[in-house]
Amino acid sequence: MITKHLAAGCLALAGILTINFKTSAQTDGAAPVAVAKVKLETGNLAPTPPMGWNTWNTFQTKIDEPLLKGMVDAYVSSGMKDAGYRYFVLDDGWMMMERDTKGYLVADPKKFPNGMKAFADYVHNKGLKFGIYNCAGNKTCAGYPGSRGHEYQDARLYASWGVDFLKYDWCNTDSLNAREAYITMSSALKETGRPIVFSLCEWGNHKPWLWAKGVGELYRTTGDITANFSQDKHMGTWTASSVMTILDKQPAIRQYNGPNHWNDADMLEVGNGMSYAEDKAHFSMWCMLSAPLAAGNDLRNMSEQTKSILTNKEVVAIDQDVLGIAAYKIPMADSVEVWVKPLKNNEVAVCFLNRSNHAQKLNIKWGDLTVEDKTTGLNLKLANGTYTLRDLWLKKSSGTTKGNFKQDIASHDVLMLKMVKQ
Ligand code: GLA
């Protein structure tokens, strides 16, 4: 058991270690890449991180119209739509293995007997937006026809179906130049005249945070997620990343995150096998990062706990804060981290994350703590006033920053607070 004090501008950890709290995130020191001048127009399709649901994490390519219509219905009846989720995205596996004789993609008629336009209409009629998937390479990751050489033709087809969101993958791309390949598809989408959110999925291989602003609205920063808190999963030729592995890659690129250009930490695994605490921690941290929120669980049979995580509007509001600033991390002892996220109106979200395998006791003296975020220029000076504390998971007040703050955090769990000046 370690008592932690958070006071007088520093974290004093059981007398062992003191960390200056006046800190700001460092960059990853990435060497600047030579970027050719291309006129990129930034629209306003994603002023806050896109929220939605995607087929992949639970169903992979085993999707069809009856299953998905049920999911659309559950999207609405479960409260996901009411909580702010909007996009319904078909990932890999929706099409035939070959294009038609004119080069058009064809929705698999066994899976979508009424065609893709009819399914898109079904989604739209429920007040949701419709997303689809393809790949910059010759084939998608699951072996279906990719868009290479058909970018404008595919974009026109999607627009004719009423597509609102395109996830664009990076399998089978050989020696393609990533930035150029994504600009080609981005231009093709813009040419259709239909507003289509463009979601780049090249796994962070070519540092899209340095060049994707204006090309698309969100870009994956890592390889694929797996539903495990801290253990990566070996998949033969590649390794799926645990929630903590993905989280650890985010601080170095946080300064690139913002409205209409979001660092994508991959889809959510909430409800897909981790513990309640782990799911809560995963969701909290994605919200602290202002990451896109793409649920990936079966919405038709969500447990009450899963639903209470995904639809916690106060936590979702942290993700959707209009400033779009990703949190930064202050390490503490015993694998407890403090993440701090500046919000609009000088409010602040603070999230304590217990990564250790045992419960921890927090004893925090807020005192005259100063949190200075050099990246954004926003400061939090507790010396200038008292802040109220609201526990966003318990949905109740937790006092103010005047007194001591004592609370246990279970293993792999979080304590997520919103601080508002009195
Ligand atoms: C890649 C992507 C995943 C998913 C699959 C589909 O692995 O990173 O998110 O789209 O392809 O095949």
Side-chain angles (χ1 to χ4, degrees):
M1 260 184 334
I2 288 192
T3 300
K4 298 177 178 65
H5 299 284
L6 184 57
C10 69
L11 294 171
L13 306 174
I16 310 167
L17 175 66
T18 300
I19 300 168
N20 190 343
F21 216 83
K22 283 192 177 180
T23 182
S24 64
Q26 303 300 310
T27 68
D28 60 354
V33 291
V35 171
K37 291 245 178 318
V38 175
K39 192 166 170 273
L40 298 171
E41 284 168 25
T42 311
N44 195 28
L45 294 180
T48 59
M51 295 172 64
W53 181 85
N54 177 299
T55 50
W56 186 254
N57 282 358
T58 296
F59 298 103
Q60 289 86 50
T61 59
K62 292 182 215 82
I63 51 174
D64 60 37
E65 187 184 286
L67 168 84
L68 295 174
K69 278 187 168 171
M71 210 65 62
V72 174
D73 296 348
Y75 199 123
V76 178
S77 62
S78 65
M80 292 289 284
K81 182 184 173 205
D82 185 49
Y85 297 83
R86 279 294 172 278
Y87 293 95
F88 188 95
V89 182
L90 302 190
D91 208 289
D92 209 349
W94 58 265
M95 56 181 123
M96 295 285 282
M97 277 297 180
E98 302 292 339
R99 291 173 179 270
D100 72 10
T101 50
K102 291 184 178 150
Y104 284 99
L105 295 169
V106 182
D108 185 335
K110 287 205 187 92
K111 294 179 175 176
F112 295 92
N114 299 302
M116 201 50 87
K117 174 81 171 67
F119 184 68
D121 289 347
Y122 191 85
V123 174
H124 287 143
N125 286 338
K126 299 279 180 179
L128 299 173
K129 290 180 179 286
F130 179 56
I132 212 160
Y133 162 101
N134 209 320
C135 186
N138 293 318
K139 286 186 186 303
T140 72
C141 298
Y144 296 88
S147 279
R148 187 172 181 181
H150 293 267
E151 290 87 352
Y152 282 76
Q153 183 178 21
D154 291 352
R156 283 194 299 273
L157 182 66
Y158 302 148
S160 76
W161 287 342
V163 166
D164 306 298
F165 181 109
L166 175 67
K167 173 175 171 180
Y168 204 53
D169 216 337
W170 189 243
C171 278
N172 306 302
T173 44
D174 304 322
S175 60
L176 268 189
N177 176 298
R179 181 171 170 268
E180 291 177 9
Y182 281 96
I183 285 177
T184 302
M185 194 67 209
S186 172
S187 307
L189 293 174
K190 284 171 184 150
E191 192 75 16
T192 67
R194 184 176 174 85
I196 299 176
V197 168
F198 190 34
S199 165
L200 285 66
C201 179
E202 59 75 78
W203 319 310
N205 287 2
H206 303 87
K207 299 187 171 138
W209 43 88
L210 297 179
W211 50 261
K213 183 177 177 180
V215 179
E217 282 72 26
L218 59 162
Y219 42 87
R220 277 273 294 279
T221 55
T222 68
D224 289 7
I225 194 168
T226 186
N228 195 295
F229 189 71
S230 51
Q231 297 294 312
D232 294 348
K233 189 173 174 190
H234 299 293
M235 312 287 289
T237 55
W238 61 284
T239 301
S241 300
S242 71
V243 169
M244 288 300 110
T245 297
I246 291 182
L247 180 66
D248 287 340
K249 293 195 171 149
Q250 304 306 315
I253 56 172
R254 67 176 283 262
Q255 76 268 29
Y256 300 107
N257 204 52
N260 296 301
H261 54 97
W262 303 105
N263 293 343
D264 182 351
D266 203 2
M267 300 171 288
L268 295 165
E269 292 283 16
V270 174
N272 286 343
M274 289 186 287
S275 72
Y276 174 53
E278 290 170 341
D279 272 355
K280 201 148 53 88
H282 169 30
F283 191 72
S284 300
M285 293 317 306
W286 263 229
C287 291
M288 290 295 289
L289 293 168
S290 262
L293 300 178
N297 56 313
D298 189 338
L299 300 177
R300 299 166 306 171
N301 50 27
M302 274 193 277
S303 70
E304 283 308 312
Q305 284 189 336
T306 297
K307 202 187 291 183
S308 73
I309 293 171
L310 291 172
T311 64
N312 183 327
K313 289 184 185 174
E314 292 187 60
V315 176
V316 166
I318 301 302
D319 180 77
Q320 295 289 301
D321 181 79
V322 291
L323 298 184
I325 298 171
Y328 65 97
K329 177 172 72 165
I330 303 166
M332 291 174 75
D334 269 4
S335 302
V336 173
E337 295 170 352
V338 193
W339 291 74
V340 181
K341 179 180 189 341
L343 305 170
K344 68 176 185 213
N345 301 329
N346 292 321
E347 296 173 355
V348 181
V350 178
C351 192
F352 294 84
L353 168 67
N354 179 5
R355 295 173 69 147
S356 70
N357 289 326
H358 53 273
Q360 303 263 13
K361 280 194 183 304
L362 287 178
N363 184 358
I364 300 159
K365 286 184 191 162
W366 299 97
D368 59 352
L369 163 74
T370 298
V371 178
E372 194 178 313
D373 180 13
K374 292 203 178 85
T375 303
T376 60
L378 290 181
N379 291 334
L380 167 68
K381 290 195 175 101
L382 291 185
N384 294 349
T386 306
Y387 285 73
T388 58
L389 301 169
R390 182 162 171 86
D391 186 317
L392 300 182
W393 286 112
L394 296 180
K395 298 185 181 172
K396 69 174 185 61
S397 162
S398 279
T400 73
T401 50
K402 263 189 187 147
N404 269 25
F405 187 88
K406 292 187 182 178
Q407 193 161 316
D408 293 351
I409 313 187
S411 168
H412 295 182
D413 205 348
V414 283
L415 166 64
M416 192 170 180
L417 302 170
K418 183 171 167 185
M419 305 174 73
V420 178
K421 205 166 179 180
Q422 267 186 335

